[in-house]
Amino acid sequence: MTSYGTIPTSSAPGPSTNLEYLSRAKERIKAGLGTRRPWKLMFNFRALGLPSSLADVFSRVRTNVGFFRMNYAIIVLLILFLSLLWHPISLIVFVVMMAVWLFLYFLRDEPLAIFNRTIDDRVVLIVLAVLTVVFLLLTKATLNILVALLIGVVLVLVHAVVRRTDDLFLDEEAAGLMTGVGGSPGSIPS
């Protein structure tokens, strides 16, 4: 008798089940943070320069946001977190909502089901985003949150415009060759 595709169940969740869940959660967090690019590459001062045209601005922003998206998310979240230090209730709501995001969106192995109905990931994403914004705005730190988000977005855009992208394709191609996958989607094969 094979057990392929079955989920082992136990009558009571024991310490091994909790340890297994925590181990999987740790692996998924590491995998998610694994898409983060090295900070040294992101802040390479030799790769900074002004764009030559408006088309170059849009191209740099599109490429850099795609390449450094996890780094940019970390920067914006860090700025938001630091801005909430003077609003303890908002900070508590922020930390609780991050935990909710982790458990309901990032660390799930199976689709979310409510009343025996499967909920699409896009619906979960939209609902969590709306709830996060609403709960943070209810803490009466609206101006603080908006200013922090604006500062984060401006810093990301300034970096994305000023950071040249000519060396980023080489890194993607090199990584693709190491894993056996082709180059980047926007690059032209030689």
Side-chain angles (χ1 to χ4, degrees):
M1 181 169 157
T2 62
S3 62
Y4 178 75
T6 61
I7 300 172
T9 59
S10 62
S11 57
S16 65
T17 308
N18 292 337
L19 290 176
E20 188 178 307
Y21 181 76
L22 290 175
S23 174
R24 281 187 300 169
K26 183 178 175 183
E27 288 175 19
R28 292 188 77 179
I29 289 172
K30 279 185 180 180
L33 289 176
T35 62
R36 178 186 58 83
R37 304 297 181 167
W39 294 105
K40 202 176 197 179
L41 177 66
M42 185 174 174
F43 295 113
N44 181 4
F45 292 116
R46 286 183 233 117
L48 298 179
L50 294 175
S52 59
S53 67
L54 189 60
D56 192 24
V57 168
F58 289 121
S59 173
R60 285 185 183 194
V61 169
R62 188 180 71 243
T63 303
N64 282 327
V65 167
F67 195 80
F68 294 114
R69 76 176 153 259
M70 181 60 74
N71 298 67
Y72 289 154
I74 291 171
I75 289 170
V76 171
L77 288 174
L78 181 66
I79 290 170
L80 182 60
F81 177 79
L82 291 175
S83 75
L84 294 176
L85 286 177
W86 290 271
H87 297 278
I89 300 298
S90 298
L91 187 59
I92 291 169
V93 169
F94 182 72
V95 170
V96 167
M97 287 309 296
M98 283 183 65
V100 170
W101 274 87
L102 281 173
F103 288 109
L104 291 181
Y105 190 73
F106 292 111
L107 299 180
R108 280 187 298 119
D109 291 332
E110 302 170 358
L112 185 64
I114 299 175
F115 299 120
N116 294 329
R117 298 193 80 157
T118 303
I119 309 299
D120 187 32
D121 278 346
R122 287 176 286 186
V123 173
V124 175
L125 176 73
I126 292 169
V127 168
L128 284 175
V130 168
L131 286 176
T132 302
V133 169
V134 167
F135 288 150
L136 282 174
L137 293 178
L138 288 175
T139 62
K140 298 184 182 172
T142 306
L143 183 63
N144 195 24
I145 293 167
L146 292 177
V147 168
L149 289 175
L150 182 66
I151 290 171
V153 168
V154 166
L155 284 176
V156 165
L157 284 176
V158 166
H159 180 270
V161 168
V162 175
R163 174 68 165 82
R164 288 193 315 252
T165 59
D166 50 351
D167 61 334
L168 300 182
F169 290 110
L170 294 174
D171 289 337
E172 285 182 348
E173 288 175 12
L177 290 175
M178 287 181 183
T179 60
V181 179
S184 65
S187 63
I188 301 170
S190 44

